[in-house]
Amino acid sequence: MTQSSPRPPSHNDDTLAGEYVLGTLDTAARVEVERRLQYDSALRDAVDRWETRFAPYSALATPVEPSPGLWSRIERSIDTAHRTPPSHENPRPRPGWWQSLALWRATTFAGAAAALILALTLLQTPGTPQAPRFVIVLMTPQHTQAGWLVQAASPDELELVPLGRFELPPGKALEFWTKADDWKGPVSLGLIKPGERSHLNLDDLPPLENNQLFELTLEDAGGSPLGRPSGPIEFIGRAVSL
Amino acid sequence: MAPVTNAVTDNDHDGLLNACAAGDKQALQRLYTLEGASMLGVVQRIVRDRAAAEDIIHDAFVRIWTRAETFDAARGSARTWMFSVARHLALDHVRRHRREFTAGDEIDHHADPLEGHSHHPAPADHFDWQGHGELERCLAHLPPERRNCLFHAYVDGFSHQEIAIRSGHPLGTVKAWIKRSLAALRECLS
């Protein structure tokens, strides 16, 4: 799915790179450029060139002396920060991060009930520090059944909690997508194992926002080849801010 | 405004960033001492909120620390990379928080109330852009109102719509100007 592009960027891509650097792209286009930067070396080169060309004009902004405490805040944070490998070695979406669909077919009723109780408990205590700031209940499109609870304790981390059974047909996979109101199209968050809790890091995306759309679609094993949903929607919901 | 001359060369930044990648916290502190105020100036200009700007500088330095080893000197200077980390965090912030300009207000090229106004005031430069780099010769070929669009975007972090509102030019015109200006700069530089 990743391909590097030794070719020089097209004029369109070069302009896109320039607009990315200027900052005039809308959120969806920004997200798309950042996704492509992970594997498209020609686009990356174009962005680097525009960054270098415009960088001297940073001097047009008047320097502002930081508050005395800012460095100690940074120092405290880096003591606990984890280093990440170069982002292009860890591209997203990342189908195949789990091995066997068949392993994850079923969950017990007890497990689902426990998850639901946990979810409701969290919903009732929004003031506690651990409480999610956003929740999303993913329902079947006919809203007859809740399939998953998605909770976000921070704007860039999600936890998916299965609420019921989902039988995955052979050779198929569930792919998780999200789209904020002003994005042009959904962005893949990878494949999801039925019946298992998943943690997703949204570092590469803009922080969650209210009403952001989430959906699970049924795709061929390995995920949609199109970079957008190609199969039927199994579960869908929107983020609610608590 | 006089061109900013830095007492430190980019080589120092490269070396300090490499030291960060090796886990040297003092190297990060040195970069912060060298560039913290300039970076905060860039971010503050875009987000226009002191507390938010400092939060972004915090996040930027944490990111510079955790991603120092991904920096590749072949792709640009360390200083440019650091500033771009902070600037893009600031842009993400304003795109999320200046929603009132765009949300539910779908872009309509025909509904611009300013469309048809042909008597804009004589164009003048809004930015003291001269003396800053290789782009200068090419920027000089652009009409002032188009240069203004580029700098309102780059320096102020304005969206197309904000530039249109601020400049009184129709949104479609602003979008086309920016695209064509970038193409003209590319042409001029090649």
Side-chain angles (χ1 to χ4, degrees):
Chain A
M1 43 156 272
T2 63
Q3 75 233 19
S4 49
S5 324
R7 63 188 166 75
S10 68
H11 282 189
N12 278 348
D13 269 3
D14 193 71
T15 303
L16 184 70
E19 291 218 63
Y20 173 74
V21 169
L22 283 179
T24 48
L25 296 179
D26 63 27
T27 303
R30 276 181 74 72
V31 167
E32 173 63 13
V33 167
E34 283 167 4
R35 193 184 64 78
R36 283 181 57 194
L37 287 176
Q38 294 171 351
Y39 59 84
D40 188 335
S41 58
L43 186 65
R44 198 157 59 215
D45 290 348
V47 166
D48 290 342
R49 276 194 300 272
W50 285 114
E51 291 283 10
T52 298
R53 288 166 186 161
F54 278 109
Y57 301 96
S58 294
L60 292 174
T62 312
V64 175
E65 204 54 47
S67 307
L70 184 55
W71 169 251
S72 6
R73 260 180 74 200
I74 294 168
E75 203 174 18
R76 280 197 301 277
S77 296
I78 65 174
D79 283 338
T80 55
H82 298 289
R83 291 176 178 279
T84 52
S87 60
H88 57 270
E89 288 175 10
N90 187 20
R92 172 193 299 271
R94 43 192 173 190
W97 58 262
W98 52 294
Q99 297 300 314
S100 164
L101 295 171
L103 274 177
W104 308 106
R105 291 254 172 103
T107 186
T108 64
F109 175 77
L116 188 57
I117 289 163
L118 170 74
L120 292 173
T121 307
L122 285 168
L123 278 168
Q124 284 164 355
T125 54
T128 57
Q130 291 79 23
R133 303 217 306 238
F134 287 95
V135 291
I136 306 111
V137 178
L138 297 177
M139 307 281 292
T140 52
Q142 300 77 30
H143 293 97
T144 51
Q145 191 192 337
W148 300 77
L149 180 86
V150 185
Q151 45 194 20
S154 75
D156 52 15
E157 194 180 347
L158 290 184
E159 183 183 24
L160 272 80
V161 181
L163 298 179
R165 288 172 67 91
F166 183 78
E167 284 291 335
L168 203 52
K172 293 288 181 182
L174 276 180
E175 189 162 7
F176 194 37
W177 306 86
T178 185
K179 180 185 172 305
D181 280 345
D182 57 349
W183 302 1
K184 286 209 178 72
V187 172
S188 175
L189 299 174
L191 302 183
I192 296 301
K193 311 169 206 178
E196 206 210 22
R197 280 176 177 241
S198 309
H199 284 267
L200 296 176
N201 197 311
L202 303 184
D203 256 352
D204 297 336
L205 293 180
L208 270 180
E209 54 186 72
N210 205 31
N211 212 39
Q212 187 163 333
L213 183 72
F214 287 83
E215 63 186 35
L216 284 162
T217 61
L218 192 64
E219 306 286 355
D220 288 338
S224 168
L226 305 179
R228 56 182 162 76
S230 62
I233 295 170
E234 297 295 330
F235 299 98
I236 187 163
R238 288 184 181 275
V240 179
S241 176
L242 293 179
Chain B
M1 187 186 300
V4 169
T5 50
N6 289 296
V8 282
T9 66
D10 281 335
N11 283 342
D12 293 322
H13 290 61
D14 282 13
L16 289 166
L17 210 47
N18 286 336
C20 288
D24 179 354
K25 257 200 290 183
Q26 282 186 335
L28 187 75
Q29 185 166 15
R30 176 82 184 126
L31 287 169
Y32 176 83
T33 308
L34 288 170
E35 303 294 356
S38 297
M39 287 168 70
L40 181 57
V42 165
V43 168
Q44 159 88 33
R45 177 76 173 255
I46 293 172
V47 304
R48 288 155 200 267
D49 174 323
R50 179 60 186 267
E54 294 216 349
D55 285 348
I56 287 167
I57 291 298
H58 166 273
D59 294 352
F61 273 90
V62 171
R63 191 170 285 207
I64 287 163
W65 174 254
T66 55
R67 301 196 182 170
E69 61 201 324
T70 71
F71 166 70
D72 177 359
R75 294 177 46 197
S77 79
R79 188 170 189 271
T80 297
W81 182 73
M82 290 171 58
F83 276 70
S84 78
V85 167
R87 212 178 137 266
H88 284 288
L89 286 174
L91 289 170
D92 288 340
H93 178 90
V94 290
R95 292 296 169 266
R96 286 198 303 278
H97 291 89
R98 285 191 199 152
R99 297 292 301 276
E100 64 271 21
F101 264 130
T102 51
D105 187 17
E106 279 311 310
I107 291 163
D108 180 349
H109 294 255
H110 303 292
D112 194 314
L114 293 166
E115 193 104 50
H117 273 234
S118 55
H119 49 278
H120 294 297
D125 271 304
H126 297 168
F127 293 82
D128 186 5
W129 54 275
Q130 282 159 315
H132 286 285
E134 59 154 343
L135 218 48
E136 175 166 347
R137 175 178 59 85
C138 299
L139 283 166
H141 296 318
L142 297 176
E145 64 270 27
R146 300 191 188 193
R147 270 198 299 271
N148 289 339
C149 289
L150 295 180
F151 288 125
H152 279 309
Y154 188 77
V155 182
D156 291 319
F158 285 175
S159 65
H160 285 133
Q161 199 149 13
E162 288 167 302
I163 297 170
I165 290 165
R166 160 111 192 189
S167 67
H169 294 294
L171 181 60
T173 304
V174 166
K175 286 183 168 185
W177 277 356
I178 287 176
K179 273 198 168 51
R180 281 189 225 138
S181 298
L182 289 168
L185 292 176
R186 176 179 56 236
E187 193 70 22
C188 168
L189 287 164
S190 64

